[in-house]
């Protein structure tokens, strides 16, 4: 049985057994849940289908949310890509577009998979689905990589938090990016140790990020933070795959995130009383929405 | 916690606590009142009261009352659907700060005029805690097969009911007794590991002093 207390434990066990983190997590979860591995794979595959549907829906809809605060950005991104305006290469641009798309579907009360939360639901699918298309990976490979993401996410949830109300946006979009980075490394053939470093690198980049949604709604800055979270995951994975290591070990980074989250004032943890939510423009918008 | 708590649930956005959790509270109210109510009044507290329009908390609770699951794409059209299906509804905002910030109090009336009250809080990640059924304060999360057994507080009740469960090989995961006062109205809340069938519900209802038994299936 795995305790899910340390990411390093996952990486070391996988290394010792010559397995991927995903295979380790899948085998353990099948045991703990008393279900067959095939059964878990099928359930995870369902989530992947919902993720893909949300991405394609969001890329084509362009509709606004009920509050009017978000919507239409994914479509703009897609049009820019079609017009050949990609600055950072197609993988990055396509990732941004999908992350925006899924987050917009969420804001419009569409169907998504919380990963790990609804607010951060665009990050993991945007990264993994884009890599799948760009590098001709199979659906089965992507499903497996979701077990890596989930395994690391369980550690983060246990030792720190995955909720904006508890730990700020570092805990939501930060955790999603860290999980996506580790999964992306595995998907692209990196080692379990590289996955652990990617997780640490992604998380370190957003330590301290507060949760400050305008009017308390999961839209501004959330939709665009899904895009930046996905980009964060890609760059962390790319560095880790190049052999770059995190100087601070991954589990110490997670502990630091927890400490920072605890020290964060309540006004910056989803209460919409501080940060961007407390700007004149945000307050004006909130008044109009809730009039 | 397992992998599907992290990658999952599949749900309709935008917020697990304000939308998915709210659907579940509505679903519990539907189960307790024994089907779709004729009219409902829903009082919202705390953050539910402040942000319900933007998060679609109102649509989510109504969707739950109509029997929808948290991943049903019709949730966003539930208000119109309720009107079509003849369920009248009204929302009230409360500034009472005594409750958990994401709390809804649902007062449902069926076509016979029977009233049911269910109060629940959305406690994060789409999980909920039901904290009131009619006049009795309770505590359960709806993740198990849950039996609500309102009865008159008399000796031997617990044994009478739990023996019926044991006879069918049903294991009790958690069980609690709540009562308004000694010898008064009481409620047993029994959460079980195995599925409970309607036959067992009727057997429990036949026990002396039991007024009725309500079965709530896991809402996940
Ligand atoms: S700002 Fe808050 S609500 Fe928005 S994505 Fe980040 S953690 Fe979630």
């Amino acid at each position: 049985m795995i305790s899910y207390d340390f990411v390093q434990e996952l990486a070391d066990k996988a290394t010792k057994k010559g397995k991927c983190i995903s295979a380790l997590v899948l085998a353990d979860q099948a045991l703990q849940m008393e279900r067959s591995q095939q059964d878990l794979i099928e359930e995870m595959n369902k989530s992947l289908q919902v993720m893909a549907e949300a991405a394609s829906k969001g890329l084509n809809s362009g509709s606004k949310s009920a509050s009017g605060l978000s919507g239409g950005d994914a479509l703009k991104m897609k049009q820019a890509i079609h017009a050949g305006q990609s600055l950072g290469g197609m993988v990055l641009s396509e990732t941004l577009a999908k992350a925006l798309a899924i987050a917009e579907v969420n804001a419009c009360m569409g169907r998504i998979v919380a990963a790990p939360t609804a607010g951060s639901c665009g990050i993991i699918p945007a990264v993994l689905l884009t890599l799948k298309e760009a590098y001709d990976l199979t659906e089965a490979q992507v499903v497996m990589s979701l077990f890596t993401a989930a395994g690391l996410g369980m550690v983060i949830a246990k030792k720190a938090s995955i909720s904006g109300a508890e730990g700020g946006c570092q805990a939501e979009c930060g955790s999603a990016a860290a999980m996506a980075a580790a999964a992306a490394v595995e998907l692209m053939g990196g080692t379990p140790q590289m996955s652990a470093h990617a997780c640490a690198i992604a998380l370190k980049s957003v330590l301290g990020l507060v949760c400050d949604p305008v009017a308390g709604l999961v839209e501004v800055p959330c939709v665009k933070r899904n895009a930046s979270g996905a980009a964060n995951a890609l760059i962390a994975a790319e560095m880790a795959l190049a052999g770059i290591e995190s100087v601070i070990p991954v589990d110490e980074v997670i502990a630091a995130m927890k400490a920072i989250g605890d020290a964060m004032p309540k006004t910056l943890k989803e209460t919409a009383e501080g940060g961007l939510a407390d700007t004149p423009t945000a307050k004006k918008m909130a008044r109009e929405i809730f009039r | 916690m397992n992998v599907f708590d992290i990658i999952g649930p599949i749900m309709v956005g935008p917020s697990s606590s304000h939308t998915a959790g709210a659907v579940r509270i509505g679903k519990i109210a539907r189960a307790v009142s024994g089907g779709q109510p004729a009219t409902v009044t829903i009082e919202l507290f705390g953050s539910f009261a402040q942000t319900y329009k933007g998060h679609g908390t109102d649509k989510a609770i109504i969707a739950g009352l109509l029997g929808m699951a948290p991943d049903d794409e019709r949730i966003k059209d539930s208000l119109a659907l309720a009107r079509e299906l003849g369920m009248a509804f009204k929302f009230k905002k409360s500034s009472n700060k005594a409750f958990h910030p994401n709390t809804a109090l649902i007062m449902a009336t069926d076509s016979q005029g029977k009233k049911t009250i269910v109060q629940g809080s959305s406690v994060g990640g789409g999980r909920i805690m039901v904290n009131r059924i009619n006049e009795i304060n309770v505590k359960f999360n709806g993740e198990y097969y849950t039996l609500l057994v309102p009865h008159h507080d008399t000796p031997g009740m617990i044994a009478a009911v739990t023996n019926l469960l044991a006879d069918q090989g049903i294991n009790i995961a958690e069980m609690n007794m709540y009562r308004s006062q000694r010898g008064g109205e009481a409620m047993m809340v029994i959460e079980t590991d195995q599925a409970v069938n309607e036959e067992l519900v009727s057997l429990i209802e036949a026990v002396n002093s039991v007024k009725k038994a309500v079965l709530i299936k896991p809402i996940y």
Side-chain angles (χ1 to χ4, degrees), chain B:
Chain B
M1 178 169 49
N2 64 51
V3 280
F4 302 115
D5 295 319
I6 300 294
I7 303 293
I10 296 173
M11 56 171 274
V12 157
S15 155
S16 48
S17 51
H18 289 73
T19 321
V23 174
R24 289 180 171 136
I25 296 172
K27 272 197 101 165
I28 299 260
R30 177 187 173 94
V32 176
S33 66
Q36 184 180 305
T39 58
V40 279
T41 304
I42 297 148
E43 199 170 348
L44 301 170
F45 302 89
S47 159
F48 265 15
Q50 281 161 24
T51 65
Y52 77 94
K53 276 194 184 146
H55 280 128
T57 307
D58 49 351
K59 296 172 184 165
I61 294 175
I62 294 295
L65 282 160
L66 294 177
M68 291 182 210
D71 68 342
D72 198 315
E73 294 207 272
R74 297 170 304 166
I75 290 174
K76 60 176 181 315
D77 307 316
S78 70
L79 300 186
L81 212 59
R83 288 187 197 103
E84 260 172 52
L85 293 169
M87 183 177 83
F89 58 86
K90 203 163 70 194
F91 282 90
K92 288 202 287 196
K93 293 199 271 182
S94 168
S95 52
N96 188 330
K97 291 203 170 69
F99 300 120
H100 181 282
N102 294 332
T103 297
L105 176 80
I106 302 175
M107 283 161 284
T109 311
D110 70 9
S111 50
Q112 260 87 58
K114 184 178 66 87
K115 284 191 172 28
T116 307
I117 298 176
V118 171
Q119 181 187 304
S121 304
S122 182
V123 294
R127 312 178 70 165
I128 62 164
M129 190 59 77
V130 179
N131 29 50
R132 181 177 157 194
I133 302 282
N134 297 330
E135 295 314 316
I136 298 182
N137 293 329
V138 297
K139 221 174 158 193
F140 64 91
N141 60 22
E143 290 171 30
Y144 294 87
Y145 276 85
T146 307
L147 274 164
L148 305 181
V149 188
H151 61 277
H152 200 71
D153 185 24
T154 46
M157 284 303 302
I158 293 182
V161 173
T162 54
N163 284 343
L164 288 171
L165 290 165
D167 286 347
Q168 298 212 2
I170 290 170
N171 194 41
I172 296 177
E174 190 162 338
M175 152 149 197
N176 283 293
M177 266 285 291
Y178 304 92
R179 59 183 184 186
S180 47
Q181 68 192 60
R182 190 168 164 179
E185 296 312 308
M187 170 112 62
M188 244 180 274
V189 177
I190 306 168
E191 299 173 280
T192 69
D193 287 329
Q194 288 84 18
V196 172
N197 57 35
E198 292 300 329
E199 186 200 333
L200 181 58
V201 174
S202 330
L203 287 175
I204 294 174
E205 281 187 330
V207 171
N208 240 345
S209 293
V210 167
K211 299 205 291 198
K212 120 193 211 74
V214 175
L215 173 64
I216 302 173
K217 297 197 176 131
I219 45 166
Y220 286 75

Side-chain angles (χ1 to χ4, degrees), chain A residues 9 20 28 43 52 88 93 118 122 165 174 190 192-193 215 221 226 230 259-260 278 290:
Chain A
E9 182 196 7
C20 294
D28 172 75
E43 185 167 341
S93 302
Q193 300 298 336
N226 272 267
I260 294 165
D278 195 37
F290 297 128

Side-chain angles (χ1 to χ4, degrees), chain A residues 119 164 168-169 172-173 210-213 218 221-222 225 270:
Chain A
C169 201
E172 255 187 49
C173 288
V210 301
C211 171
D212 48 358
V218 193
C222 317
R225 274 192 194 156
E270 214 184 83

Side-chain angles (χ1 to χ4, degrees), chain A residues 29 57 106 109-112 114 116 216, chain B residues 3 8-9 11-14 55 71:
Chain A
Q29 289 288 291
K57 189 170 157 196
N106 181 57
M109 297 191 83
R111 221 152 75 108
I112 52 92
Chain B
V3 280
M11 56 171 274
V12 157
H55 280 128
D71 68 342

